[in-house]
Protein backbone atom coordinates (compact mmCIF):
# COMPACT_ATOMS: atom_id res chain seq x y z
CA UNK A 1 0.00 0.00 0.00
CA UNK A 2 1.25 3.50 -0.88
CA UNK A 3 0.01 6.22 1.43
CA UNK A 4 0.15 9.94 2.08
CA UNK A 5 2.02 10.66 5.31
CA UNK A 6 0.90 13.38 7.73
CA UNK A 7 2.33 16.79 6.89
CA UNK A 8 1.85 19.73 9.22
CA UNK A 9 0.25 22.65 7.41
CA UNK A 10 -0.40 20.55 4.30
CA UNK A 11 -2.63 17.48 4.71
CA UNK A 12 -5.93 19.25 5.28
CA UNK A 13 -9.22 17.99 3.85
CA UNK A 14 -8.92 19.39 0.27
CA UNK A 15 -5.35 18.09 -0.02
CA UNK A 16 -6.37 14.66 1.26
CA UNK A 17 -9.24 14.58 -1.25
CA UNK A 18 -6.78 15.59 -3.97
CA UNK A 19 -4.41 12.73 -3.17
CA UNK A 20 -7.28 10.27 -2.77
CA UNK A 21 -8.32 11.16 -6.31
CA UNK A 22 -4.75 10.65 -7.53
CA UNK A 23 -4.60 7.17 -6.02
CA UNK A 24 -3.50 7.39 -2.37
CA UNK A 25 -5.26 4.48 -0.68
CA UNK A 26 -4.69 5.93 2.77
CA UNK A 27 -4.05 9.46 4.00
CA UNK A 28 -3.41 11.19 7.33
CA UNK A 29 -4.65 14.31 9.00
CA UNK A 30 -2.13 16.84 10.13
CA UNK A 31 -0.90 16.37 13.70
CA UNK A 32 -3.91 17.02 15.92
CA UNK A 33 -3.31 18.59 19.33
CA UNK A 34 -5.17 16.62 21.98
CA UNK A 35 -4.95 19.62 24.29
CA UNK A 36 -6.73 21.64 21.60
CA UNK A 37 -9.43 18.98 21.31
CA UNK A 38 -9.97 18.89 25.07
CA UNK A 39 -10.40 22.69 25.02
CA UNK A 40 -12.85 22.47 22.08
CA UNK A 41 -10.57 24.71 20.03
CA UNK A 42 -12.48 25.49 16.82
CA UNK A 43 -9.40 25.45 14.59
CA UNK A 44 -8.40 22.03 15.95
CA UNK A 45 -11.92 20.65 15.56
CA UNK A 46 -11.95 21.78 11.92
CA UNK A 47 -8.91 19.59 11.27
CA UNK A 48 -10.54 16.28 12.29
CA UNK A 49 -13.41 16.01 9.81
CA UNK A 50 -13.39 13.44 7.03
CA UNK A 51 -15.27 13.99 3.79
CA UNK A 52 -16.98 11.45 1.55
CA UNK A 53 -14.46 12.29 -1.19
CA UNK A 54 -11.56 10.85 0.83
CA UNK A 55 -10.24 7.32 0.91
CA UNK A 56 -9.28 5.73 4.24
CA UNK A 57 -8.05 8.27 6.78
CA UNK A 58 -5.89 8.02 9.89
CA UNK A 59 -6.24 10.78 12.45
CA UNK A 60 -2.83 11.47 13.98
CA UNK A 61 -2.70 12.85 17.52
CA UNK A 62 0.09 14.40 19.50
CA UNK A 63 0.22 14.90 23.25
CA UNK A 64 2.66 14.86 26.14
CA UNK A 65 0.28 12.97 28.43
CA UNK A 66 -1.50 9.64 28.02
CA UNK A 67 -4.67 10.81 29.75
CA UNK A 68 -4.98 13.97 27.68
CA UNK A 69 -4.35 11.81 24.61
CA UNK A 70 -7.28 9.58 25.50
CA UNK A 71 -9.57 12.49 26.31
CA UNK A 72 -8.66 14.24 23.06
CA UNK A 73 -9.28 11.08 21.05
CA UNK A 74 -12.67 10.68 22.70
CA UNK A 75 -13.56 14.26 21.75
CA UNK A 76 -12.50 13.60 18.15
CA UNK A 77 -14.56 10.42 17.96
CA UNK A 78 -17.60 12.24 19.32
CA UNK A 79 -17.46 14.41 16.18
CA UNK A 80 -16.16 11.92 13.58
CA UNK A 81 -16.02 8.14 13.77
CA UNK A 82 -15.10 7.19 10.22
CA UNK A 83 -11.37 6.67 10.71
CA UNK A 84 -9.25 3.80 9.49
CA UNK A 85 -7.02 4.02 12.57
CA UNK A 86 -5.90 6.29 15.38
CA UNK A 87 -2.33 7.51 15.07
CA UNK A 88 0.17 8.78 17.63
CA UNK A 89 3.01 11.05 16.58
CA UNK A 90 6.24 10.16 18.36
CA UNK A 91 8.42 11.46 15.51
CA UNK A 92 8.10 15.23 15.18
CA UNK A 93 11.57 16.65 16.00
CA UNK A 94 10.63 20.33 16.14
CA UNK A 95 11.40 22.05 19.46
CA UNK A 96 7.94 23.64 19.76
CA UNK A 97 6.57 20.08 19.99
CA UNK A 98 9.35 18.24 21.81
CA UNK A 99 9.76 20.86 24.53
CA UNK A 100 6.22 19.99 25.67
CA UNK A 101 7.17 16.32 25.98
CA UNK A 102 5.32 15.33 22.81
CA UNK A 103 6.52 14.13 19.39
CA UNK A 104 10.05 12.74 19.31
CA UNK A 105 10.52 13.49 23.02
CA UNK A 106 8.53 10.30 23.63
CA UNK A 107 11.36 8.25 22.13
CA UNK A 108 13.06 8.69 25.49
CA UNK A 109 9.88 7.86 27.44
CA UNK A 110 9.08 4.29 26.46
CA UNK A 111 6.82 3.59 29.43
CA UNK A 112 4.71 6.67 28.76
CA UNK A 113 4.66 5.86 25.04
CA UNK A 114 3.35 2.38 25.78
CA UNK A 115 0.67 3.75 28.10
CA UNK A 116 -0.46 6.00 25.25
CA UNK A 117 -0.89 2.99 22.97
CA UNK A 118 -2.77 1.05 25.64
CA UNK A 119 -5.09 4.01 26.28
CA UNK A 120 -6.02 4.39 22.62
CA UNK A 121 -6.64 0.65 22.27
CA UNK A 122 -9.53 1.11 24.72
CA UNK A 123 -11.38 2.91 21.91
CA UNK A 124 -11.46 -0.24 19.72
CA UNK A 125 -9.64 1.24 16.71
CA UNK A 126 -6.33 0.08 15.23
CA UNK A 127 -3.47 2.16 16.66
CA UNK A 128 -0.65 3.29 14.38
CA UNK A 129 2.48 4.92 15.79
CA UNK A 130 5.03 7.01 13.94
CA UNK A 131 8.55 7.10 15.40
CA UNK A 132 12.09 7.98 14.41
CA UNK A 133 15.23 5.93 14.47
CA UNK A 134 16.94 6.13 17.85
CA UNK A 135 20.69 6.56 18.16
CA UNK A 136 21.38 2.85 17.64
CA UNK A 137 19.54 -0.05 16.09
CA UNK A 138 19.09 -2.09 19.25
CA UNK A 139 17.37 0.79 21.05
CA UNK A 140 15.10 1.32 18.05
CA UNK A 141 14.13 -2.35 17.89
CA UNK A 142 13.54 -2.50 21.65
CA UNK A 143 11.27 0.54 21.44
CA UNK A 144 9.33 -0.98 18.54
CA UNK A 145 8.92 -4.26 20.42
CA UNK A 146 7.54 -2.48 23.47
CA UNK A 147 5.02 -0.57 21.36
CA UNK A 148 3.85 -3.76 19.64
CA UNK A 149 3.52 -5.53 22.99
CA UNK A 150 1.44 -2.58 24.20
CA UNK A 151 -0.98 -3.18 21.32
CA UNK A 152 0.27 -1.05 18.41
CA UNK A 153 -0.96 -2.39 15.08
CA UNK A 154 1.60 -0.61 12.91
CA UNK A 155 4.86 1.24 13.54
CA UNK A 156 6.01 3.73 10.92
CA UNK A 157 9.74 4.32 11.24
CA UNK A 158 11.37 7.43 9.83
CA UNK A 159 15.03 6.68 9.24
CA UNK A 160 16.44 9.84 10.78
CA UNK A 161 17.15 10.58 14.43
CA UNK A 162 15.55 13.43 16.32
CA UNK A 163 18.82 15.38 16.16
CA UNK A 164 18.91 15.09 12.35
CA UNK A 165 15.43 16.55 11.99
CA UNK A 166 15.01 16.54 8.19
CA UNK A 167 18.67 16.86 7.24
CA UNK A 168 20.95 14.22 5.77
CA UNK A 169 19.83 10.92 4.30
CA UNK A 170 17.22 8.65 5.85
CA UNK A 171 18.66 5.34 7.02
CA UNK A 172 16.97 2.45 5.20
CA UNK A 173 18.90 -0.34 6.87
CA UNK A 174 16.90 0.12 10.09
CA UNK A 175 13.68 -0.37 8.09
CA UNK A 176 15.07 -3.55 6.56
CA UNK A 177 16.06 -4.94 9.96
CA UNK A 178 12.82 -3.90 11.69
CA UNK A 179 10.67 -5.42 8.95
CA UNK A 180 12.56 -8.69 9.27
CA UNK A 181 12.20 -8.73 13.06
CA UNK A 182 8.57 -7.62 13.15
CA UNK A 183 6.95 -8.80 9.90
CA UNK A 184 3.59 -7.23 9.18
CA UNK A 185 4.06 -4.38 11.65
CA UNK A 186 6.45 -1.93 9.97
CA UNK A 187 5.71 0.87 7.55
CA UNK A 188 8.36 3.14 6.04
CA UNK A 189 8.95 6.86 5.87
CA UNK A 190 11.88 8.93 4.73
CA UNK A 191 13.20 10.09 1.34
CA UNK A 192 10.41 8.50 -0.71
CA UNK A 193 10.61 10.48 -3.93
CA UNK A 194 10.26 8.02 -6.82
CA UNK A 195 9.23 4.49 -7.77
CA UNK A 196 12.66 3.05 -6.97
CA UNK A 197 12.39 4.34 -3.39
CA UNK A 198 8.92 2.84 -3.03
CA UNK A 199 9.94 -0.52 -4.46
CA UNK A 200 13.01 -0.72 -2.22
CA UNK A 201 10.94 -0.26 0.93
CA UNK A 202 8.31 -2.72 -0.29
CA UNK A 203 11.04 -5.25 -1.03
CA UNK A 204 12.19 -4.97 2.59
CA UNK A 205 8.67 -5.86 3.70
CA UNK A 206 7.55 -2.38 4.75
CA UNK A 207 3.82 -1.95 4.23
CA UNK A 208 2.57 0.63 3.74
CA UNK A 209 5.12 3.06 2.36
CA UNK A 210 4.41 6.62 3.47
CA UNK A 211 5.16 9.48 1.10
CA UNK A 212 5.62 12.87 2.78
CA UNK A 213 7.66 15.68 1.21
CA UNK A 214 8.03 13.58 -1.93
CA UNK A 215 4.28 13.90 -2.46
CA UNK A 216 4.56 17.69 -2.42
CA UNK A 217 7.44 17.69 -4.89
CA UNK A 218 5.66 15.17 -7.14
CA UNK A 219 1.95 14.69 -6.31
CA UNK A 220 1.46 12.44 -9.32
CA UNK A 221 3.80 9.78 -7.94
CA UNK A 222 0.66 7.93 -6.83
CA UNK A 223 -0.45 7.62 -10.45
CA UNK A 224 3.05 6.68 -11.58
CA UNK A 225 2.85 3.68 -9.24
CA UNK A 226 -0.05 2.47 -11.37
CA UNK A 227 1.77 3.25 -14.67
CA UNK A 228 -0.50 6.22 -15.37
CA UNK A 229 1.19 9.08 -17.21
CA UNK A 230 -0.27 12.54 -16.54
CA UNK A 231 0.50 15.37 -18.96
CA UNK A 232 0.86 19.03 -18.01
CA UNK A 233 -2.66 19.91 -19.10
CA UNK A 234 -4.18 17.40 -16.70
CA UNK A 235 -1.78 18.35 -13.91
CA UNK A 236 -2.93 21.96 -14.21
CA UNK A 237 -6.53 20.74 -14.17
CA UNK A 238 -5.85 18.75 -11.00
CA UNK A 239 -4.25 21.72 -9.24
CA UNK A 240 -7.12 24.00 -10.22
CA UNK A 241 -9.62 21.48 -8.86
CA UNK A 242 -7.65 21.34 -5.62
CA UNK A 243 -7.57 25.13 -5.35
CA UNK A 244 -11.28 25.33 -6.12
CA UNK A 245 -12.05 22.91 -3.29
CA UNK A 246 -9.78 24.86 -0.91
CA UNK A 247 -11.63 28.03 -1.91
CA UNK A 248 -14.98 26.38 -1.20
CA UNK A 249 -13.93 25.19 2.25
CA UNK A 250 -11.52 27.81 3.53
CA UNK A 251 -11.53 30.90 1.30
CA UNK A 252 -9.40 32.53 -1.38
CA UNK A 253 -6.28 33.23 0.69
CA UNK A 254 -6.06 29.60 1.71
CA UNK A 255 -6.65 28.44 -1.87
CA UNK A 256 -3.82 30.65 -3.12
CA UNK A 257 -1.46 29.21 -0.48
CA UNK A 258 -2.44 25.71 -1.61
CA UNK A 259 -1.40 26.45 -5.19
CA UNK A 260 1.93 27.80 -3.92
CA UNK A 261 2.52 24.60 -1.92
CA UNK A 262 2.32 22.48 -5.05
CA UNK A 263 3.67 24.84 -7.73
CA UNK A 264 7.15 23.33 -7.64
CA UNK A 265 5.80 19.80 -8.02
CA UNK A 266 3.46 20.90 -10.79
CA UNK A 267 6.27 22.23 -12.95
CA UNK A 268 9.09 19.92 -11.94
CA UNK A 269 11.19 19.26 -15.04
CA UNK A 270 9.20 21.70 -17.19
CA UNK A 271 11.40 24.14 -19.08
CA UNK A 272 10.69 27.84 -18.69
CA UNK A 273 8.53 27.47 -15.59
CA UNK A 274 10.76 29.28 -13.07
CA UNK A 275 9.36 32.73 -13.90
CA UNK A 276 5.80 31.43 -13.67
CA UNK A 277 6.47 29.86 -10.26
CA UNK A 278 7.82 33.18 -9.01
CA UNK A 279 4.68 34.97 -10.20
CA UNK A 280 2.45 32.37 -8.56
CA UNK A 281 4.32 32.69 -5.28
CA UNK A 282 3.83 36.45 -5.29
CA UNK A 283 0.14 36.35 -6.22
CA UNK A 284 -2.91 36.24 -3.94
CA UNK A 285 -5.74 36.57 -6.46
CA UNK A 286 -7.01 33.12 -7.44
CA UNK A 287 -8.45 34.22 -10.79
CA UNK A 288 -5.11 35.73 -11.75
CA UNK A 289 -3.29 32.56 -10.68
CA UNK A 290 -5.60 30.44 -12.82
CA UNK A 291 -4.95 32.75 -15.78
CA UNK A 292 -1.20 32.37 -15.30
CA UNK A 293 -1.54 28.58 -15.34
CA UNK A 294 -3.79 28.51 -18.40
CA UNK A 295 -1.69 30.99 -20.35
CA UNK A 296 1.51 29.07 -19.64
CA UNK A 297 0.01 25.85 -20.91
CA UNK A 298 -1.59 27.48 -24.00
CA UNK A 299 1.66 29.22 -24.92
CA UNK A 300 3.49 25.95 -24.61
CA UNK A 301 1.05 24.29 -27.00
CA UNK A 302 1.53 26.85 -29.77
Amino acid sequence: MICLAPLAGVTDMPVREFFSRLGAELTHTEMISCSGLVRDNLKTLRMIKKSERENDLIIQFFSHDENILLRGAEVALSHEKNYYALGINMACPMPKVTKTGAGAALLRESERACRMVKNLKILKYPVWVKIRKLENYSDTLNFVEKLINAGADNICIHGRTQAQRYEGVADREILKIASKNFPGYISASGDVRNLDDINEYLFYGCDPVMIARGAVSNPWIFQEVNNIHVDLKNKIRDIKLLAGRALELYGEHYAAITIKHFSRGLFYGVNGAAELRNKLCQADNLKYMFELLDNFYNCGEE
Side-chain angles (χ1 to χ4, degrees), residues 69-94:
L69 174 73
L70 178 59
R71 288 168 55 199
E74 289 172 335
V75 171
L77 293 173
S78 73
H79 290 271
E80 175 66 65
K81 293 182 171 58
N82 195 21
Y83 297 119
Y84 182 83
L86 308 180
I88 309 173
N89 184 291
M90 301 184 187
C92 180
M94 304 311 292

PDB file of all heavy atoms in Angstrom, residues 69-94:
ATOM      1  N   LEU A  69      -4.230  12.491  25.900  1.00  0.00           N
ATOM      2  CA  LEU A  69      -4.347  11.807  24.606  1.00  0.00           C
ATOM      3  C   LEU A  69      -5.686  11.085  24.501  1.00  0.00           C
ATOM      4  O   LEU A  69      -6.408  11.222  23.502  1.00  0.00           O
ATOM      5  CB  LEU A  69      -3.204  10.822  24.433  1.00  0.00           C
ATOM      6  CG  LEU A  69      -3.262   9.926  23.199  1.00  0.00           C
ATOM      7  CD1 LEU A  69      -2.949  10.713  21.939  1.00  0.00           C
ATOM      8  CD2 LEU A  69      -2.299   8.749  23.321  1.00  0.00           C
ATOM      9  N   LEU A  70      -6.025  10.327  25.521  1.00  0.00           N
ATOM     10  CA  LEU A  70      -7.280   9.582  25.498  1.00  0.00           C
ATOM     11  C   LEU A  70      -8.479  10.518  25.467  1.00  0.00           C
ATOM     12  O   LEU A  70      -9.416  10.317  24.686  1.00  0.00           O
ATOM     13  CB  LEU A  70      -7.358   8.659  26.711  1.00  0.00           C
ATOM     14  CG  LEU A  70      -8.659   7.850  26.851  1.00  0.00           C
ATOM     15  CD1 LEU A  70      -8.892   6.967  25.634  1.00  0.00           C
ATOM     16  CD2 LEU A  70      -8.626   7.015  28.130  1.00  0.00           C
ATOM     17  N   ARG A  71      -8.455  11.549  26.283  1.00  0.00           N
ATOM     18  CA  ARG A  71      -9.574  12.489  26.305  1.00  0.00           C
ATOM     19  C   ARG A  71      -9.727  13.199  24.966  1.00  0.00           C
ATOM     20  O   ARG A  71     -10.840  13.385  24.459  1.00  0.00           O
ATOM     21  CB  ARG A  71      -9.370  13.503  27.428  1.00  0.00           C
ATOM     22  CG  ARG A  71      -9.565  12.935  28.833  1.00  0.00           C
ATOM     23  CD  ARG A  71      -9.072  13.901  29.889  1.00  0.00           C
ATOM     24  NE  ARG A  71      -9.705  15.210  29.770  1.00  0.00           N
ATOM     25  CZ  ARG A  71      -9.219  16.333  30.308  1.00  0.00           C
ATOM     26  NH1 ARG A  71      -8.062  16.293  30.978  1.00  0.00           N
ATOM     27  NH2 ARG A  71      -9.866  17.468  30.163  1.00  0.00           N
ATOM     28  N   GLY A  72      -8.599  13.586  24.371  1.00  0.00           N
ATOM     29  CA  GLY A  72      -8.659  14.235  23.064  1.00  0.00           C
ATOM     30  C   GLY A  72      -9.202  13.308  21.997  1.00  0.00           C
ATOM     31  O   GLY A  72     -10.021  13.722  21.150  1.00  0.00           O
ATOM     32  N   ALA A  73      -8.774  12.055  22.023  1.00  0.00           N
ATOM     33  CA  ALA A  73      -9.276  11.083  21.051  1.00  0.00           C
ATOM     34  C   ALA A  73     -10.779  10.872  21.225  1.00  0.00           C
ATOM     35  O   ALA A  73     -11.523  10.743  20.238  1.00  0.00           O
ATOM     36  CB  ALA A  73      -8.525   9.765  21.195  1.00  0.00           C
ATOM     37  N   GLU A  74     -11.234  10.843  22.450  1.00  0.00           N
ATOM     38  CA  GLU A  74     -12.672  10.681  22.702  1.00  0.00           C
ATOM     39  C   GLU A  74     -13.456  11.867  22.159  1.00  0.00           C
ATOM     40  O   GLU A  74     -14.549  11.689  21.591  1.00  0.00           O
ATOM     41  CB  GLU A  74     -12.918  10.513  24.204  1.00  0.00           C
ATOM     42  CG  GLU A  74     -12.447   9.175  24.748  1.00  0.00           C
ATOM     43  CD  GLU A  74     -12.516   9.086  26.261  1.00  0.00           C
ATOM     44  OE1 GLU A  74     -12.463  10.147  26.938  1.00  0.00           O
ATOM     45  OE2 GLU A  74     -12.627   7.957  26.787  1.00  0.00           O
ATOM     46  N   VAL A  75     -12.906  13.079  22.316  1.00  0.00           N
ATOM     47  CA  VAL A  75     -13.560  14.263  21.746  1.00  0.00           C
ATOM     48  C   VAL A  75     -13.640  14.139  20.226  1.00  0.00           C
ATOM     49  O   VAL A  75     -14.679  14.389  19.614  1.00  0.00           O
ATOM     50  CB  VAL A  75     -12.817  15.550  22.152  1.00  0.00           C
ATOM     51  CG1 VAL A  75     -13.362  16.748  21.369  1.00  0.00           C
ATOM     52  CG2 VAL A  75     -12.941  15.796  23.645  1.00  0.00           C
ATOM     53  N   ALA A  76     -12.526  13.745  19.608  1.00  0.00           N
ATOM     54  CA  ALA A  76     -12.500  13.600  18.148  1.00  0.00           C
ATOM     55  C   ALA A  76     -13.549  12.596  17.685  1.00  0.00           C
ATOM     56  O   ALA A  76     -14.289  12.841  16.722  1.00  0.00           O
ATOM     57  CB  ALA A  76     -11.110  13.177  17.683  1.00  0.00           C
ATOM     58  N   LEU A  77     -13.631  11.470  18.365  1.00  0.00           N
ATOM     59  CA  LEU A  77     -14.564  10.416  17.963  1.00  0.00           C
ATOM     60  C   LEU A  77     -16.009  10.796  18.247  1.00  0.00           C
ATOM     61  O   LEU A  77     -16.927  10.211  17.661  1.00  0.00           O
ATOM     62  CB  LEU A  77     -14.210   9.107  18.661  1.00  0.00           C
ATOM     63  CG  LEU A  77     -12.873   8.487  18.227  1.00  0.00           C
ATOM     64  CD1 LEU A  77     -12.524   7.290  19.101  1.00  0.00           C
ATOM     65  CD2 LEU A  77     -12.924   8.065  16.763  1.00  0.00           C
ATOM     66  N   SER A  78     -16.236  11.762  19.111  1.00  0.00           N
ATOM     67  CA  SER A  78     -17.601  12.243  19.323  1.00  0.00           C
ATOM     68  C   SER A  78     -18.078  13.092  18.155  1.00  0.00           C
ATOM     69  O   SER A  78     -19.286  13.285  17.962  1.00  0.00           O
ATOM     70  CB  SER A  78     -17.687  13.049  20.629  1.00  0.00           C
ATOM     71  OG  SER A  78     -17.059  14.317  20.507  1.00  0.00           O
ATOM     72  N   HIS A  79     -17.126  13.596  17.346  1.00  0.00           N
ATOM     73  CA  HIS A  79     -17.456  14.412  16.182  1.00  0.00           C
ATOM     74  C   HIS A  79     -17.361  13.617  14.881  1.00  0.00           C
ATOM     75  O   HIS A  79     -18.087  13.909  13.924  1.00  0.00           O
ATOM     76  CB  HIS A  79     -16.518  15.615  16.096  1.00  0.00           C
ATOM     77  CG  HIS A  79     -16.731  16.638  17.158  1.00  0.00           C
ATOM     78  ND1 HIS A  79     -17.615  17.690  17.021  1.00  0.00           N
ATOM     79  CD2 HIS A  79     -16.178  16.768  18.396  1.00  0.00           C
ATOM     80  CE1 HIS A  79     -17.591  18.437  18.117  1.00  0.00           C
ATOM     81  NE2 HIS A  79     -16.726  17.898  18.967  1.00  0.00           N
ATOM     82  N   GLU A  80     -16.445  12.657  14.823  1.00  0.00           N
ATOM     83  CA  GLU A  80     -16.165  11.920  13.583  1.00  0.00           C
ATOM     84  C   GLU A  80     -15.684  10.520  13.945  1.00  0.00           C
ATOM     85  O   GLU A  80     -14.715  10.368  14.682  1.00  0.00           O
ATOM     86  CB  GLU A  80     -15.088  12.655  12.774  1.00  0.00           C
ATOM     87  CG  GLU A  80     -14.616  11.929  11.534  1.00  0.00           C
ATOM     88  CD  GLU A  80     -15.700  11.813  10.488  1.00  0.00           C
ATOM     89  OE1 GLU A  80     -16.126  12.858   9.951  1.00  0.00           O
ATOM     90  OE2 GLU A  80     -16.135  10.666  10.218  1.00  0.00           O
ATOM     91  N   LYS A  81     -16.382   9.522  13.432  1.00  0.00           N
ATOM     92  CA  LYS A  81     -16.023   8.140  13.771  1.00  0.00           C
ATOM     93  C   LYS A  81     -15.428   7.365  12.604  1.00  0.00           C
ATOM     94  O   LYS A  81     -14.960   6.241  12.785  1.00  0.00           O
ATOM     95  CB  LYS A  81     -17.255   7.392  14.300  1.00  0.00           C
ATOM     96  CG  LYS A  81     -17.760   7.898  15.637  1.00  0.00           C
ATOM     97  CD  LYS A  81     -18.948   7.089  16.122  1.00  0.00           C
ATOM     98  CE  LYS A  81     -19.317   7.448  17.567  1.00  0.00           C
ATOM     99  NZ  LYS A  81     -19.640   8.866  17.740  1.00  0.00           N
ATOM    100  N   ASN A  82     -15.451   7.944  11.421  1.00  0.00           N
ATOM    101  CA  ASN A  82     -15.104   7.186  10.221  1.00  0.00           C
ATOM    102  C   ASN A  82     -13.605   7.233   9.934  1.00  0.00           C
ATOM    103  O   ASN A  82     -13.165   7.710   8.887  1.00  0.00           O
ATOM    104  CB  ASN A  82     -15.901   7.720   9.023  1.00  0.00           C
ATOM    105  CG  ASN A  82     -15.867   6.781   7.848  1.00  0.00           C
ATOM    106  OD1 ASN A  82     -15.592   5.579   7.983  1.00  0.00           O
ATOM    107  ND2 ASN A  82     -16.146   7.310   6.676  1.00  0.00           N
ATOM    108  N   TYR A  83     -12.817   6.723  10.875  1.00  0.00           N
ATOM    109  CA  TYR A  83     -11.370   6.671  10.711  1.00  0.00           C
ATOM    110  C   TYR A  83     -10.913   5.232  10.484  1.00  0.00           C
ATOM    111  O   TYR A  83     -11.489   4.291  11.030  1.00  0.00           O
ATOM    112  CB  TYR A  83     -10.656   7.215  11.948  1.00  0.00           C
ATOM    113  CG  TYR A  83     -10.925   8.670  12.237  1.00  0.00           C
ATOM    114  CD1 TYR A  83     -11.517   9.057  13.429  1.00  0.00           C
ATOM    115  CD2 TYR A  83     -10.576   9.662  11.320  1.00  0.00           C
ATOM    116  CE1 TYR A  83     -11.768  10.392  13.713  1.00  0.00           C
ATOM    117  CE2 TYR A  83     -10.821  10.993  11.583  1.00  0.00           C
ATOM    118  CZ  TYR A  83     -11.419  11.358  12.783  1.00  0.00           C
ATOM    119  OH  TYR A  83     -11.663  12.681  13.056  1.00  0.00           O
ATOM    120  N   TYR A  84      -9.862   5.106   9.712  1.00  0.00           N
ATOM    121  CA  TYR A  84      -9.249   3.797   9.486  1.00  0.00           C
ATOM    122  C   TYR A  84      -8.475   3.352  10.714  1.00  0.00           C
ATOM    123  O   TYR A  84      -8.445   2.164  11.055  1.00  0.00           O
ATOM    124  CB  TYR A  84      -8.326   3.888   8.271  1.00  0.00           C
ATOM    125  CG  TYR A  84      -7.644   2.605   7.884  1.00  0.00           C
ATOM    126  CD1 TYR A  84      -8.295   1.664   7.090  1.00  0.00           C
ATOM    127  CD2 TYR A  84      -6.340   2.343   8.301  1.00  0.00           C
ATOM    128  CE1 TYR A  84      -7.667   0.479   6.716  1.00  0.00           C
ATOM    129  CE2 TYR A  84      -5.705   1.165   7.939  1.00  0.00           C
ATOM    130  CZ  TYR A  84      -6.369   0.237   7.148  1.00  0.00           C
ATOM    131  OH  TYR A  84      -5.737  -0.926   6.791  1.00  0.00           O
ATOM    132  N   ALA A  85      -7.816   4.309  11.374  1.00  0.00           N
ATOM    133  CA  ALA A  85      -7.023   4.015  12.568  1.00  0.00           C
ATOM    134  C   ALA A  85      -6.779   5.309  13.327  1.00  0.00           C
ATOM    135  O   ALA A  85      -6.999   6.412  12.812  1.00  0.00           O
ATOM    136  CB  ALA A  85      -5.693   3.362  12.186  1.00  0.00           C
ATOM    137  N   LEU A  86      -6.320   5.159  14.561  1.00  0.00           N
ATOM    138  CA  LEU A  86      -5.901   6.287  15.381  1.00  0.00           C
ATOM    139  C   LEU A  86      -4.377   6.290  15.429  1.00  0.00           C
ATOM    140  O   LEU A  86      -3.753   5.265  15.730  1.00  0.00           O
ATOM    141  CB  LEU A  86      -6.458   6.163  16.801  1.00  0.00           C
ATOM    142  CG  LEU A  86      -7.969   5.926  16.924  1.00  0.00           C
ATOM    143  CD1 LEU A  86      -8.363   5.821  18.399  1.00  0.00           C
ATOM    144  CD2 LEU A  86      -8.763   7.020  16.226  1.00  0.00           C
ATOM    145  N   GLY A  87      -3.774   7.419  15.119  1.00  0.00           N
ATOM    146  CA  GLY A  87      -2.326   7.506  15.068  1.00  0.00           C
ATOM    147  C   GLY A  87      -1.760   8.330  16.216  1.00  0.00           C
ATOM    148  O   GLY A  87      -2.424   9.238  16.730  1.00  0.00           O
ATOM    149  N   ILE A  88      -0.549   8.005  16.607  1.00  0.00           N
ATOM    150  CA  ILE A  88       0.167   8.779  17.626  1.00  0.00           C
ATOM    151  C   ILE A  88       1.492   9.233  17.031  1.00  0.00           C
ATOM    152  O   ILE A  88       2.274   8.416  16.548  1.00  0.00           O
ATOM    153  CB  ILE A  88       0.460   7.958  18.898  1.00  0.00           C
ATOM    154  CG1 ILE A  88      -0.798   7.276  19.430  1.00  0.00           C
ATOM    155  CG2 ILE A  88       1.063   8.861  19.972  1.00  0.00           C
ATOM    156  CD1 ILE A  88      -0.527   6.324  20.587  1.00  0.00           C
ATOM    157  N   ASN A  89       1.742  10.531  17.081  1.00  0.00           N
ATOM    158  CA  ASN A  89       3.011  11.045  16.583  1.00  0.00           C
ATOM    159  C   ASN A  89       4.059  11.006  17.681  1.00  0.00           C
ATOM    160  O   ASN A  89       3.931  11.680  18.702  1.00  0.00           O
ATOM    161  CB  ASN A  89       2.862  12.469  16.064  1.00  0.00           C
ATOM    162  CG  ASN A  89       4.148  12.983  15.449  1.00  0.00           C
ATOM    163  OD1 ASN A  89       5.129  13.215  16.132  1.00  0.00           O
ATOM    164  ND2 ASN A  89       4.148  13.154  14.136  1.00  0.00           N
ATOM    165  N   MET A  90       5.081  10.200  17.480  1.00  0.00           N
ATOM    166  CA  MET A  90       6.244  10.157  18.358  1.00  0.00           C
ATOM    167  C   MET A  90       7.498  10.445  17.537  1.00  0.00           C
ATOM    168  O   MET A  90       8.589   9.968  17.844  1.00  0.00           O
ATOM    169  CB  MET A  90       6.352   8.795  19.031  1.00  0.00           C
ATOM    170  CG  MET A  90       5.151   8.414  19.876  1.00  0.00           C
ATOM    171  SD  MET A  90       5.378   6.830  20.738  1.00  0.00           S
ATOM    172  CE  MET A  90       3.739   6.589  21.439  1.00  0.00           C
ATOM    173  N   ALA A  91       7.324  11.244  16.468  1.00  0.00           N
ATOM    174  CA  ALA A  91       8.415  11.459  15.514  1.00  0.00           C
ATOM    175  C   ALA A  91       8.757  12.919  15.280  1.00  0.00           C
ATOM    176  O   ALA A  91       9.874  13.215  14.854  1.00  0.00           O
ATOM    177  CB  ALA A  91       8.068  10.810  14.170  1.00  0.00           C
ATOM    178  N   CYS A  92       7.831  13.822  15.519  1.00  0.00           N
ATOM    179  CA  CYS A  92       8.098  15.229  15.184  1.00  0.00           C
ATOM    180  C   CYS A  92       9.294  15.734  15.978  1.00  0.00           C
ATOM    181  O   CYS A  92       9.301  15.684  17.216  1.00  0.00           O
ATOM    182  CB  CYS A  92       6.880  16.093  15.478  1.00  0.00           C
ATOM    183  SG  CYS A  92       7.165  17.843  15.079  1.00  0.00           S
ATOM    184  N   PRO A  93      10.347  16.245  15.293  1.00  0.00           N
ATOM    185  CA  PRO A  93      11.569  16.649  15.998  1.00  0.00           C
ATOM    186  C   PRO A  93      11.611  18.128  16.346  1.00  0.00           C
ATOM    187  O   PRO A  93      12.599  18.593  16.925  1.00  0.00           O
ATOM    188  CB  PRO A  93      12.645  16.324  14.959  1.00  0.00           C
ATOM    189  CG  PRO A  93      11.977  16.671  13.655  1.00  0.00           C
ATOM    190  CD  PRO A  93      10.518  16.291  13.829  1.00  0.00           C
ATOM    191  N   MET A  94      10.568  18.880  16.001  1.00  0.00           N
ATOM    192  CA  MET A  94      10.625  20.325  16.144  1.00  0.00           C
ATOM    193  C   MET A  94      10.514  20.740  17.613  1.00  0.00           C
ATOM    194  O   MET A  94       9.667  20.226  18.350  1.00  0.00           O
ATOM    195  CB  MET A  94       9.533  20.987  15.309  1.00  0.00           C
ATOM    196  CG  MET A  94       9.592  20.591  13.835  1.00  0.00           C
ATOM    197  SD  MET A  94      11.257  20.732  13.115  1.00  0.00           S
ATOM    198  CE  MET A  94      11.485  22.522  13.151  1.00  0.00           C
TER     199      MET A  94
END
